[in-house]
Amino acid sequence: MEYLSIVFQEVYKILFLLVPVLVSVAMIVWLDRRVWAFVQKRQGPNVVGPFGLLQSLADALKYIFKEIIIPSSSNKVIFILAPIVTMTLALIAWAVIPFSATQVLADINVGILYLFAVSSLGVYGIIMGGWASNSKYPFLGAIRSAAQMVSYEVSIGVIIINVLLCVGSLNLNDIVIAQQNMWFVIPLFPMFVIFFISALAETNRPPFDLPEAEAELVAGYQTEYSGMMYAMFWLGEYANILLMCAMGAILFLGGWMSPIDVYPFTLVPGALWLILKILLLFILFALVKAIVPRYRYDQLMRLGWKVFLPLSLIWVVLTASYLFYFNLLPVN
Amino acid sequence: MIAHAIFFYTFSIIAVVSAIMVTASKNTVHSVFFLILDFISISCLFIMIGAEFLGMIMLIVYVGAVAVLFLFVVMMLNVAQQKNQWFAGQSTSKHIPVGLIISTLIFFEIIIVIGGWKYKPEIFDINNSLANTSVSNTHSLGQILYTDYIHVFQISGMILLVAMIGAIVLTFRQRSGVKRQSYIKQISRERVESVEVLEVQSNKGVKIDD
């Protein structure tokens, strides 16, 4: 009985986290299309519901009732597994995101490593989908995305090291609390910019959406997918984008901390601040999608390996030596 | 404790079965996927014994990077379509003895280690180093690696660097006839050197050099 009550409690907590995440993924798709439209002086989705807010719900309903087509020459098990993997990985990472000092599903010691590991596993959904489709365009998309995501992970890892040098702990709550006096976006501003661009590449967002470049590859790894399986890829992708935004907010923008430590601001719950910061980053993501043209593949690789990696490595040396000489290294 | 045992046996059974499937499955891509499953369940085991840092690093390095490259190479080579010539051909008999020798060596190494651990526990001073549980896993690992074993650590890093440079040097070839883009050249181009306004006489045309 005791075990059962613990299990129920955990399930309740998980549902309390995942349902809002899924709903906000649907909302964020609407926001993305809306921002994109406004930049181009269009209206965007504005018919279903107030301001078109229910557009994503209508889309989801459409996807559910569509037929799922499995190509006869595909590798069926892996073909079906691929969207499931994408979706699962995008959702399990939310377990460690702290919404306030106490509101964390799993407050683990190595939270940031867990986030990094899960986001680096995200590439498997795409590779599996691309390979199992047994078709030219998906395969090309999968190969591209494998190379792209592995390359940009390296620079994200080095940027995380930069932040960790200032914090002295891998726990996400410790990282947030370490920014009490100053958000890391101020001393580590170049790293924030590089993190933002790498996050765009890591989540296959424009201008780095080469895995699904519709002009060259039809829709990349999603070409053969239809109905709910396609929708799961889509949901997973947007959940991943939100996750990267949350990671950026926690690493650089002070997570659930209020921007000013004065009376009326401290009343606002931490979760709301985190959500606002995630939204800010996401609107930046959406704006970039609207205003920047797609990169060429060799330019993408050059940017990752020849610009971002050396820059962030040099910054690690700079941060470390600054902290060392001014005796600011966090010791606990 | 029961829950612990259930999780332990689940993960270890998955690890062992997927390790067997790596060699048993016909499709090479499938065996890479089984290898990934193996890595993941082993990192779960690491986390279960409290080595959460090692488990996460295992996930990041092996699953997130190494296995992706494996998969990449296997998919590109498309070994599955070679009808397993490597294994089914006449030349297999040469490889079997070598494989047998290596596997018996590894087997005896494991036997020696496990036997020593079982019958002479004082040889392994693990208990003393594990005693300090107030420090987190990551901290104690860092403290040991960067003080007592700093030279070994640095040397292994250097070996990896040398191996990486060696691999690049071995596979690098200067291709001729490839048009390369020079960003500096493109940006620093002036109007004067690229555009020329000419008076064109009718019925004569203009001659453009190069």
Side-chain angles (χ1 to χ4, degrees):
Chain A
M1 261 347 269
E2 204 182 334
Y3 274 130
L4 267 183
S5 75
I6 293 173
V7 167
F8 276 127
Q9 235 169 12
E10 289 303 311
V11 167
Y12 172 73
K13 273 192 212 161
I14 291 169
L15 281 181
F16 201 71
L17 176 70
L18 283 192
V19 171
V21 165
L22 281 173
V23 172
S24 57
V25 164
M27 290 295 109
I28 221 86
V29 175
W30 169 81
L31 181 70
D32 187 29
R33 293 172 65 181
R34 202 76 173 155
V35 170
W36 195 13
F38 281 150
V39 174
Q40 299 173 339
K41 292 196 105 179
R42 292 188 285 117
Q43 282 297 312
N46 64 346
V47 178
V48 191
F51 305 107
L53 265 170
L54 299 178
Q55 179 66 45
S56 301
L57 215 72
D59 284 347
L61 219 67
K62 183 188 77 180
Y63 281 127
I64 290 170
F65 288 115
K66 274 193 164 184
E67 186 190 353
I68 293 174
I69 299 163
I70 298 175
S72 60
S73 63
S74 68
N75 195 316
K76 299 201 177 46
V77 179
I78 296 179
F79 188 80
I80 295 168
L81 265 178
I84 300 174
V85 166
T86 307
M87 186 78 188
T88 317
L89 286 174
L91 291 182
I92 59 169
W94 285 92
V96 293
I97 300 284
F99 287 92
S100 77
T102 48
Q103 286 169 311
V104 202
L105 194 62
D107 194 9
I108 55 175
N109 271 337
V110 286
I112 188 72
L113 279 183
Y114 174 82
L115 264 189
F116 186 56
V118 171
S119 74
S120 70
L121 293 189
V123 67
Y124 282 110
I126 294 173
I127 299 186
M128 285 163 85
W131 180 77
S133 299
N134 200 4
S135 158
K136 294 286 182 298
Y137 291 127
F139 187 63
L140 280 174
I143 292 288
R144 277 185 181 187
S145 84
Q148 174 183 333
M149 287 171 87
V150 169
S151 316
Y152 279 86
E153 240 166 59
V154 180
S155 64
I156 286 187
V158 178
I159 291 163
I160 289 176
I161 291 175
N162 264 306
V163 173
L164 292 183
L165 274 173
C166 305
V167 179
S169 165
L170 296 169
N171 186 305
L172 284 174
N173 250 329
D174 289 350
I175 293 174
V176 172
I177 290 165
Q179 302 177 54
Q180 209 150 28
N181 299 321
M182 192 197 280
W183 290 359
F184 286 144
V185 68
I186 299 165
L188 298 174
F189 185 70
M191 289 303 102
F192 176 66
V193 175
I194 294 180
F195 177 83
F196 182 75
I197 299 170
S198 303
L200 287 175
E202 180 80 6
T203 51
N204 298 323
R205 283 284 290 186
F208 304 109
D209 58 341
L210 286 150
E212 42 173 307
E214 68 273 3
E216 307 145 35
L217 296 181
V218 190
Y221 60 93
Q222 302 167 340
T223 307
E224 304 289 345
Y225 282 89
S226 62
M228 205 51 214
M229 281 160 88
Y230 173 74
M232 274 173 86
F233 259 131
W234 210 47
L235 279 175
E237 208 170 281
Y238 272 91
N240 248 332
I241 291 164
L242 272 188
L243 183 77
M244 285 317 257
C245 292
M247 207 162 146
I250 288 166
L251 287 178
F252 292 102
L253 298 180
W256 43 263
M257 209 95 72
S258 82
I260 323 162
D261 210 8
V262 207
Y263 167 66
F265 290 101
T266 43
L267 276 182
V268 180
L272 197 66
W273 281 124
L274 183 67
I275 290 167
L276 282 178
K277 283 164 188 171
I278 293 174
L279 269 181
L280 173 79
L281 280 176
F282 183 79
I283 289 174
L284 281 179
F285 265 62
L287 282 177
V288 168
K289 178 182 182 175
I291 57 184
V292 183
R294 183 177 293 136
Y295 260 54
R296 215 174 51 209
Y297 193 69
D298 61 314
Q299 289 171 333
L300 174 97
M301 283 295 155
R302 179 184 160 274
L303 190 70
W305 289 105
K306 291 191 184 167
V307 181
F308 283 178
L309 184 61
L311 247 176
S312 43
L313 267 177
I314 289 169
W315 207 267
V316 167
V317 177
L318 272 180
T319 319
S321 28
Y322 177 83
L323 292 173
F324 184 74
Y325 282 109
F326 289 92
N327 218 0
L328 294 168
L329 275 173
V331 185
N332 35 352
Chain B
M1 268 343 266
I2 298 169
H4 196 272
I6 291 171
F7 278 114
F8 173 78
Y9 283 112
T10 320
F11 288 134
S12 26
I13 286 168
I14 292 173
V16 172
V17 170
S18 56
I20 293 168
M21 287 306 289
V22 171
T23 51
S25 62
K26 288 246 170 70
N27 193 329
T28 356
V29 175
H30 286 182
S31 41
V32 179
F33 280 127
F34 277 116
L35 188 68
I36 293 161
L37 187 62
D38 200 17
F39 283 149
I40 291 175
S41 42
I42 284 174
S43 79
C44 291
L45 287 176
F46 267 131
I47 293 165
M48 280 189 68
I49 58 167
E52 71 266 3
F53 184 78
L54 267 184
M56 287 300 158
I57 289 295
M58 178 109 185
L59 269 188
I60 293 169
V61 173
Y62 283 93
V63 187
V66 174
V68 173
L69 294 182
F70 268 18
L71 210 56
F72 200 77
V73 170
V74 166
M75 282 175 178
M76 291 292 263
L77 289 177
N78 221 345
V79 189
Q81 287 186 354
Q82 290 181 352
K83 300 281 177 211
N84 288 348
Q85 283 173 341
W86 255 27
F87 311 106
Q90 294 249 317
S91 57
T92 44
S93 52
K94 283 179 202 162
H95 299 304
I96 289 173
V98 183
L100 272 179
I101 290 168
I102 292 172
S103 47
T104 34
L105 268 178
I106 293 172
F107 180 69
F108 278 111
E109 278 175 0
I110 292 171
I111 289 284
I112 290 166
V113 169
I114 291 176
W117 172 55
K118 184 86 182 163
Y119 296 107
K120 284 247 181 257
E122 65 274 10
I123 295 175
F124 300 89
D125 222 7
I126 292 170
N127 294 325
N128 293 338
S129 54
L130 268 182
N132 193 0
T133 44
S134 62
V135 197
S136 85
N137 195 278
T138 320
H139 276 151
S140 48
L141 205 66
Q143 266 160 10
I144 292 173
L145 266 189
Y146 287 97
T147 51
D148 297 347
Y149 297 100
I150 179 71
H151 292 117
V152 184
F153 185 66
Q154 293 281 334
I155 287 168
S156 59
M158 286 308 282
I159 291 171
L160 279 176
L161 183 68
V162 169
M164 193 175 79
I165 293 172
I168 293 170
V169 168
L170 283 176
T171 53
F172 185 75
R173 60 197 160 94
Q174 197 87 49
R175 277 177 296 179
S176 57
V178 180
K179 206 177 161 193
R180 284 192 192 283
Q181 194 178 16
S182 165
Y183 294 88
I184 300 165
K185 239 183 187 172
Q186 282 183 337
I187 295 166
S188 60
R189 229 153 76 125
E190 296 283 332
R191 185 171 180 274
V192 186
E193 37 186 291
S194 42
V195 182
E196 196 180 353
V197 183
L198 291 172
E199 287 279 333
V200 185
Q201 287 176 326
S202 63
N203 286 330
K204 287 264 177 69
V206 200
K207 214 176 190 180
I208 303 168
D209 41 37
D210 98 354

